[in-house]
Amino acid sequence: MVSAGLLSAGIPAFSQEHDSLLHLLPGVEIKSSQTPYSPVGVTLDYLNIESDYLLKNQGNTLMGSLEKIPGIRALSTGTGISKPVIRGMSLNRVVINEYGIKQEGQQWGADHGLEIDPFNVNRMELVKGPASVRYGSDGIGGVINILPPAIPRKDTFHAGALLQYKSNNNQIGTSVHVAHNKNDYYTLARITYQDYGSYRVPATSFTYNGYRLPLYRERLKNTGGNELGISLMQGIRRKWGYSSLYFSIYRQKAGFFPGAFGIPRAYQLNDIGKDRHVDLPRQEVQHIKIISNTHGHIGNVILDADIGWQYNRREELSKPHAHGNGPAPEGERALGLHLQTFTANFQLQAFPRYAFSLITGLAMQHQENSRDGYEFLIPAFRQTQAGLFSSLKYEAGKTTWTGAVRADLAHQYAPRSYTTQYDEEGLPSGTVQRSPEIRKKYINGSAAAGFVTEWTKNWKIKFNAGTAYRIPTVTELTANGIHHGTFRHEMGDSTLSPEKGYMLDLSLSTRQKNIQASVSPFLNYFDQYIYLRPSGLFSTLPEAGQLYHYTAGKTVFTGFEASLNLFADKRWSSLTAMEYVWNKNITTGIPLPFTPPYSLLQEFTWAPVRFWKLAEELQFRLSGQYFASQTRTDINEPATNGYFLMDFSTDLTLPAGRHKLSCHFQIRNLLNTIYYNNMSRYRILELPEQGRNIQLILKYEL
Amino acid sequence: MKKTILPGLCLILAASWLFQGCKSDKEGQAAGSKPVISVLSQSVPSETAEVCEEESDNVLFLQTGTTLTLELKFTGSSNLSQYKLDVHDAFDCHEHKSTATPWSLSKIRDLQGTEATVTEQLTVPADAAAGNYHLMIRAVDISGRESEEMEFILVITNTDDIQKPDIHRNTPSADSVVMSAGSLLEIAAHVSDDKNLYGGSYEIHWKDAAGAERELLHQDFPNNTFNQFNIHYEFPIPLNAVKGWSVFEIHARDAVNNPAVDTFYVDIQ
């Protein structure tokens, strides 16, 4: 086993734990014996995933590739945009770290994607449950840690290339990478480009508000896009540890179905015959990152310093349209948001090899946001946060105890914002205030404790109790504008206080000769859960619909994930996994929006390796996933019927001397099922989801 | 193998049935239903007509200066809160800007109780631009449940000028011509109207054989125009133009926005 990367010196007692969880997923290769990267993760449900798993289960996006994991879903807009949902929580409630630095874009938007090159993810760790005590504000639903790739072995050179094709939207993609190490000075570089057309749905029309609207050639017009990812890492490894500098740039251009902006009308949906042309409305995103990671050890102390700068530019473009008295705006940029984030995290780990160990860290972040475009939604702002945390671990026989505390400070500032007002003649008549001045300070303490124990032979119990918190985002405090598409006039509330949660997590797992099984129930209570709720009043802006306010309510979340892995013999195995989330705003008695329905996955794998000795790996998988209907919906959120999807996949790896050729073939939505997904942005338009998709990835490694 | 899989599957099936049972509780949104809007009477009858390439059965033909009276009934499962009326233009379906002032209205009124009947009188301004408009009526109840949008398509003609302009194309004189990519397409047309053209505009659109649409020209009639105007435009057909039949349209709108279209076809080779 190769032990590489962060915290590799720590806590060997947990390697077994790690293995048992990994086995619950088919196709996951165990290459490292790391313990969880996040120290609080030990007593939570966590999972390590390698790039191989992502290729074998590749969905439309990075999050789409993780959707077979119980407890993980994606909130998606078409095929190119999606963001993680962990146990029904999303947006700013899931922390995504790349190389120790929290990814910061405009996470509050449901149709804003996760702006990361999916092929540049080598290893990732998923932690379900409260991680605020380690990651500060936002770590409520869980954490996705994208870990740095393993450092290439001394004096070696590796290169690889992959080609990808997806039939449904004629997606083509390629990614090329090199890894070089000379005398422990190492370089890793990658370039990825993906281009896709409008996607196909198994329907020729859809019905919206009594109108029957066409879907020419069974395609959703203008849902194509492209993305580019370039990254470069340079580092040095010495006896004291290692240090690296990482640069990455990600660009995406993705079209939106024109019917999703305002009321869909037949004339917008005319077939223009060009599936790859990304027209208006669309979004253009650029994310640039520079990250420095340093990891060193002196005696019984391990030091980590992660420093980063990132810049996220988001532009939403749509045809200018006159509203009310004013003239039609100039240009196509409806909304431009530019967010800069500086992050510095320091962590000290003492006595990592002893029964009693301590981790202390300081995390700091500063953000500056500016805006432009002809629509107003959120103001420019500045936000600074700092947190100090400490966690203890104590191993006593078969039981490991953990405890952690954290103190956080945060400050937000947004100036008063105005937009021009027009009189009946269409002339500017002054300005109107759109958002108030915000000056807010927050002080918060959080704590968590838990244990993991070997109950009897082959049975393990984990328990964690903790508090989680999240400061309201500037959007939740100040938004005031019509969110494109929904007609809703979204309004912030500058008096909102932080969201606080109390969370209990339990996990029971067993590993027998032919069986591995686990069940992980959870119970969360929030006394200030913030989300958009209807006000029962109309917006006075012309053509706008109802006012939606960011409102806090007492909420309860509960549910579980369970999985059962059976190994019949060396060739046959079966995986069964399910998840369920139940939630309710107990102030109103109404469920929360975008709650994943109960789902049940059954997957059979046949790996006849013995027959074909030529192949390093050969497996066939057939899976069926049932999603129950979701009738527990928020006001104005339609109920969604249940559906059943089937997937088939084959993975083949051929060694050719020092080289390796692998082929990943998948047919997703094998039966071309017509279904609606309540986690999709296009659900409200009554648009069915993507039809059958035949995918092929060819990967060559040298 | 079967020994372990079968009991496992039974267990899972049992669990999923159990869940279906648990999930039948209908609360929250399902506990109430959307407010419903119905029209008890209307002073102008709804007609079926094709507007914007779409056949609609809720088209109202109106003239400027006249009044549309609607008697509306709102019904909710809980107490109603408000209704909103919006009128906005949808000229030529492509949201083009017009030089005449379009009619625009946005009105919110409070409602009480679970049932309410109101009479709305909407007078089309005398100087409103002629063309297609949308009238949208929406309602919400106090817990925020939204009604479906009720929509009328208003086709408004201006009483001062009912006649649309006349487009007489001189070049090309035939309705369909064959041309090669790279050559120069000359377009010449004479526009006339019974009233004033100044205040209106003219456009030339091109839709290539692949269906991509472009606006080649968009000009306001110059201020010395009365009711006659000559359009002259030269379009070099791009060398990389998609081969096959493409569609050209000459659009003209008079001072009150009455639209006219002339179409011809060019086979690009």
Side-chain angles (χ1 to χ4, degrees):
Chain A
M1 284 197 175
V2 183
S3 174
L6 297 129
L7 300 182
S8 59
I11 328 145
F14 286 90
S15 58
Q16 253 192 335
E17 174 65 33
H18 172 94
D19 286 1
S20 73
L21 273 161
L22 276 183
H23 272 302
L24 293 175
L25 289 164
V28 175
E29 281 180 18
I30 303 149
K31 280 185 177 153
S32 68
S33 62
Q34 275 170 270
T35 50
Y37 178 55
S38 49
V40 290
V42 175
T43 55
L44 288 170
D45 207 9
Y46 68 88
L47 198 66
N48 284 23
I49 285 173
E50 308 261 329
S51 59
D52 240 34
Y53 178 84
L54 298 174
L55 292 180
K56 286 173 179 170
N57 293 280
Q58 205 193 37
N60 284 317
T61 54
L62 179 59
M63 288 321 302
S65 307
L66 301 173
E67 279 204 288
K68 283 187 182 169
I69 299 169
I72 313 283
R73 290 294 304 275
L75 192 60
S76 55
T77 305
T79 52
I81 303 165
S82 77
K83 62 201 314 154
V85 180
I86 300 183
R87 292 177 168 172
M89 283 187 246
S90 184
L91 311 177
N92 282 71
R93 295 184 183 91
V94 173
V95 171
I96 294 128
N97 292 304
E98 192 183 24
Y99 306 173
I101 300 294
K102 187 177 169 213
Q103 172 93 1
E104 291 281 7
Q106 306 282 351
Q107 296 101 304
W108 49 267
D111 49 4
H112 305 170
L114 176 61
E115 287 122 10
I116 285 175
D117 172 6
F119 292 116
N120 198 37
V121 176
N122 290 277
R123 304 181 298 171
M124 69 199 294
E125 176 190 62
L126 305 176
V127 181
K128 294 180 235 167
S132 284
V133 75
R134 171 66 183 81
Y135 295 103
S137 177
D138 296 9
I140 284 182
V143 181
I144 296 175
N145 277 322
I146 297 169
L147 307 178
I151 296 170
R153 276 197 305 268
K154 201 172 175 179
D155 299 321
T156 55
F157 175 80
H158 292 281
L162 70 77
L163 288 171
Q164 172 208 53
Y165 172 73
K166 291 178 183 170
S167 68
N168 182 283
N169 54 0
N170 293 322
Q171 175 163 357
I172 46 166
T174 183
S175 186
V176 179
H177 76 275
V178 290
H180 176 250
N181 183 329
K182 177 90 179 156
N183 198 21
D184 270 340
Y185 286 103
Y186 57 93
T187 304
L188 294 125
R190 180 181 288 274
I191 180 161
T192 299
Y193 183 74
Q194 295 188 81
D195 188 293
Y196 51 96
S198 292
Y199 69 97
R200 254 184 296 232
V201 294
T204 53
S205 66
F206 69 106
T207 305
Y208 179 82
N209 195 11
Y211 287 91
R212 195 166 181 79
L213 294 163
L215 295 171
Y216 294 103
R217 293 180 294 123
E218 304 193 351
R219 278 179 201 274
L220 246 56
K221 184 181 173 179
N222 197 43
T223 53
N226 55 60
E227 56 183 85
L228 171 74
I230 299 170
S231 63
L232 178 70
M233 177 184 255
Q234 285 212 287
I236 173 173
R237 177 165 58 184
R238 289 291 178 264
K239 268 186 186 160
W240 50 263
Y242 64 82
S243 183
S244 64
L245 192 65
Y246 170 74
F247 166 81
S248 79
I249 179 163
Y250 172 90
R251 300 180 82 146
Q252 187 193 41
K253 183 171 164 181
F256 289 115
F257 182 59
F261 277 55
I263 292 180
R265 304 203 180 271
Y267 61 79
Q268 299 169 320
L269 306 176
N270 282 346
D271 190 6
I272 59 156
K274 291 182 177 176
D275 294 325
R276 285 185 184 275
H277 177 66
V278 185
D279 210 333
L280 300 172
R282 65 169 182 271
Q283 67 167 33
E284 291 181 14
V285 179
Q286 175 167 298
H287 199 109
I288 302 172
K289 261 184 278 200
I290 300 172
I291 297 173
S292 146
N293 300 112
T294 304
H295 175 87
H297 43 84
I298 315 157
N300 277 326
V301 173
I302 298 174
L303 282 162
D304 276 286
D306 302 324
I307 294 159
W309 171 83
Q310 56 191 311
Y311 169 70
N312 183 284
R313 188 188 76 199
R314 166 175 198 82
E315 291 183 350
E316 291 176 4
L317 299 102
S318 60
K319 206 171 249 178
H321 185 69
H323 287 287
N325 294 327
E330 305 258 315
E332 294 174 339
R333 191 180 334 147
L335 196 63
L337 297 170
H338 313 261
L339 178 66
Q340 269 193 90
T341 307
F342 303 90
T343 317
N345 295 330
F346 303 100
Q347 181 180 292
L348 182 150
Q349 218 184 132
F351 315 110
R353 284 182 198 82
Y354 292 76
F356 186 86
S357 66
L358 172 79
I359 297 173
T360 297
L362 174 67
M364 291 173 287
Q365 190 200 60
H366 177 73
Q367 291 186 311
E368 303 217 350
N369 186 63
S370 63
R371 63 162 288 270
D372 52 30
Y374 61 77
E375 277 176 6
F376 182 89
L377 192 56
I378 64 165
F381 67 83
R382 282 203 302 270
Q383 178 173 296
T384 310
Q385 298 186 72
L388 188 64
F389 69 93
S390 207
S391 73
L392 279 170
K393 187 154 80 236
Y394 177 62
E395 288 168 29
K398 287 179 175 174
T399 306
T400 301
W401 299 87
T402 62
V405 287
R406 182 179 174 112
D408 275 284
L409 285 173
H411 181 258
Q412 288 167 328
Y413 167 74
R416 217 170 257 127
S417 302
Y418 301 92
T419 52
T420 312
Q421 205 172 24
Y422 297 91
D423 61 17
E424 286 189 2
E425 310 283 272
L427 299 168
S429 62
T431 53
V432 59
Q433 182 180 315
R434 293 299 285 270
S435 69
E437 186 188 62
I438 296 283
R439 277 179 203 278
K440 293 192 80 148
K441 282 196 182 90
Y442 308 90
I443 300 174
N444 189 74
S446 39
F451 65 83
V452 49
T453 184
E454 202 171 313
W455 175 29
T456 59
K457 198 171 182 297
N458 301 326
W459 283 86
K460 202 159 272 187
I461 297 179
K462 287 184 184 185
F463 174 78
N464 192 78
T467 63
Y469 97 107
R470 184 176 73 85
I471 59 169
T473 61
V474 174
T475 306
E476 289 163 336
L477 297 169
T478 62
N480 183 8
I482 302 173
H483 196 263
H484 59 186
T486 55
F487 271 133
R488 286 174 183 175
H489 183 159
E490 300 181 355
M491 265 198 121
D493 175 359
S494 59
T495 64
L496 287 171
S497 50
E499 199 167 275
K500 278 186 186 166
Y502 305 90
M503 314 177 81
L504 293 177
D505 290 85
L506 187 70
S507 167
L508 181 65
S509 61
T510 181
R511 193 177 183 187
Q512 315 278 349
K513 195 172 160 244
N514 293 324
I515 301 174
Q516 286 171 26
S518 79
V519 58
S520 317
F522 61 91
L523 176 67
N524 306 330
Y525 169 79
F526 295 92
D527 62 1
Q528 296 281 336
Y529 193 85
I530 302 165
Y531 67 107
L532 276 171
R533 295 211 54 234
S535 66
L537 299 170
F538 278 111
S539 163
T540 53
L541 294 179
E543 293 172 55
Q546 192 178 179
L547 271 172
Y548 268 66
H549 285 141
Y550 279 103
T551 318
K554 293 188 193 323
T555 59
V556 175
F557 277 74
T558 187
F560 71 94
E561 294 98 45
S563 60
L564 173 69
N565 222 342
L566 302 172
F567 302 96
D569 55 35
K570 286 214 162 63
R571 293 178 204 123
W572 282 96
S573 64
S574 151
L575 167 76
T576 311
M578 59 178 106
E579 74 168 275
Y580 182 65
V581 179
W582 184 96
N583 59 32
K584 190 177 188 170
N585 179 333
I586 46 181
T587 316
T588 63
I590 297 169
L592 299 170
F594 294 117
T595 302
Y598 166 75
S599 75
L600 174 66
L601 169 79
Q602 177 58 49
E603 184 167 78
F604 294 103
T605 306
W606 182 51
V609 180
R610 308 277 144 178
F611 296 121
W612 285 280
K613 288 218 167 146
L614 275 172
E616 195 171 285
E617 183 195 29
L618 175 63
Q619 63 173 19
F620 300 89
R621 281 180 296 153
L622 185 68
S623 72
Q625 195 163 10
Y626 165 74
F627 295 86
S629 60
Q630 184 54 281
T631 53
R632 295 184 49 82
T633 53
D634 197 0
I635 281 177
N636 299 324
E637 189 189 21
T640 302
N641 288 333
Y643 53 98
F644 178 77
L645 298 178
M646 267 184 98
D647 291 353
F648 170 77
S649 69
T650 302
D651 304 292
L652 171 71
T653 302
L654 294 170
R658 281 174 56 240
H659 308 187
K660 202 160 110 174
L661 178 70
S662 29
C663 163
H664 305 287
F665 174 79
Q666 270 195 87
I667 307 175
R668 288 173 87 97
N669 193 0
L670 188 68
L671 306 176
N672 209 21
T673 305
I674 302 172
Y675 70 101
Y676 300 88
N677 177 359
N678 75 317
M679 312 283 286
S680 161
R681 163 76 174 72
Y682 294 152
R683 168 69 187 98
I684 199 147
L685 292 175
E686 303 281 342
L687 281 171
E689 292 296 301
Q690 200 175 17
R692 184 183 296 125
N693 196 3
I694 302 169
Q695 305 180 184
L696 181 68
I697 296 174
L698 286 175
K699 188 178 157 199
Y700 181 75
E701 273 181 290
L702 166 99
Chain B
M1 164 193 172
K2 292 207 173 74
K3 269 183 205 160
T4 48
I5 286 180
L6 277 175
L9 285 180
C10 290
L11 198 81
I12 285 144
L13 281 175
S16 57
W17 276 113
L18 198 77
F19 263 90
Q20 281 309 289
C22 291
K23 285 174 52 55
S24 62
D25 63 324
K26 288 197 175 178
E27 56 178 308
Q29 121 111 354
S33 53
K34 300 175 181 185
V36 175
I37 308 172
S38 43
V39 180
L40 300 179
S41 72
Q42 56 190 86
S43 62
V44 176
S46 293
E47 293 181 42
T48 302
E50 189 173 321
V51 179
C52 298
E53 304 161 40
E54 193 174 8
E55 194 174 80
S56 307
D57 53 10
N58 53 355
V59 182
L60 306 182
F61 289 91
L62 292 169
Q63 290 194 327
T64 51
T66 61
T67 300
L68 167 67
T69 308
L70 293 171
E71 202 185 340
L72 302 166
K73 187 180 164 191
F74 299 94
T75 322
S77 62
S78 39
N79 281 335
L80 296 162
S81 172
Q82 291 183 328
Y83 71 96
K84 186 176 185 182
L85 292 179
D86 269 298
V87 175
H88 61 265
D89 61 87
F91 299 146
D92 86 348
C93 325
H94 289 87
E95 297 163 21
H96 281 164
K97 213 174 101 179
S98 157
T99 43
T101 312
W103 180 27
S104 161
L105 175 87
S106 185
K107 184 174 174 183
I108 299 167
R109 291 287 177 271
D110 290 341
L111 290 169
Q112 246 127 44
T114 56
E115 211 179 283
T117 305
V118 297
T119 305
E120 275 292 341
Q121 295 201 311
L122 307 171
T123 303
V124 186
D127 60 348
N132 301 330
Y133 288 79
H134 291 139
L135 162 63
M136 205 146 64
I137 308 164
R138 289 174 285 198
V140 280
D141 68 15
I142 49 161
S143 50
R145 279 184 206 95
E146 293 165 0
S147 67
E148 305 244 326
E149 301 113 18
M150 169 169 280
E151 191 182 66
F152 289 101
I153 294 166
L154 311 181
V155 178
I156 293 177
T157 44
N158 195 301
T159 41
D160 294 339
D161 180 356
I162 295 168
Q163 189 110 26
K164 65 178 186 184
D166 177 60
I167 304 173
H168 180 78
R169 176 164 34 83
N170 301 312
T171 321
S173 53
D175 282 344
S176 55
V177 288
V178 180
M179 293 192 73
S180 54
S183 62
L184 194 71
L185 170 68
E186 195 191 338
I187 301 169
H190 179 73
V191 185
S192 58
D193 192 48
D194 62 328
K195 295 272 170 73
N196 214 345
L197 282 173
Y198 168 60
S201 61
Y202 59 98
E203 295 158 24
I204 297 177
H205 294 197
W206 173 46
K207 192 172 176 181
D208 72 14
E213 220 175 316
R214 275 172 60 194
E215 187 180 79
L216 303 176
L217 181 73
H218 187 156
Q219 297 278 324
D220 293 340
F221 288 114
N223 58 11
N224 56 5
T225 319
F226 175 51
N227 62 356
Q228 307 282 327
F229 186 75
N230 284 313
I231 298 174
H232 188 255
Y233 181 68
E234 287 180 346
F235 176 57
I237 297 171
L239 278 167
N240 59 357
V242 184
K243 304 285 184 291
W245 286 105
S246 61
V247 187
F248 285 82
E249 286 176 349
I250 306 171
H251 290 250
R253 303 163 171 286
D254 64 18
V256 298
N257 209 41
N258 286 319
V261 187
D262 172 73
T263 307
F264 63 96
Y265 302 88
V266 177
D267 183 7
I268 300 172
Q269 300 199 320

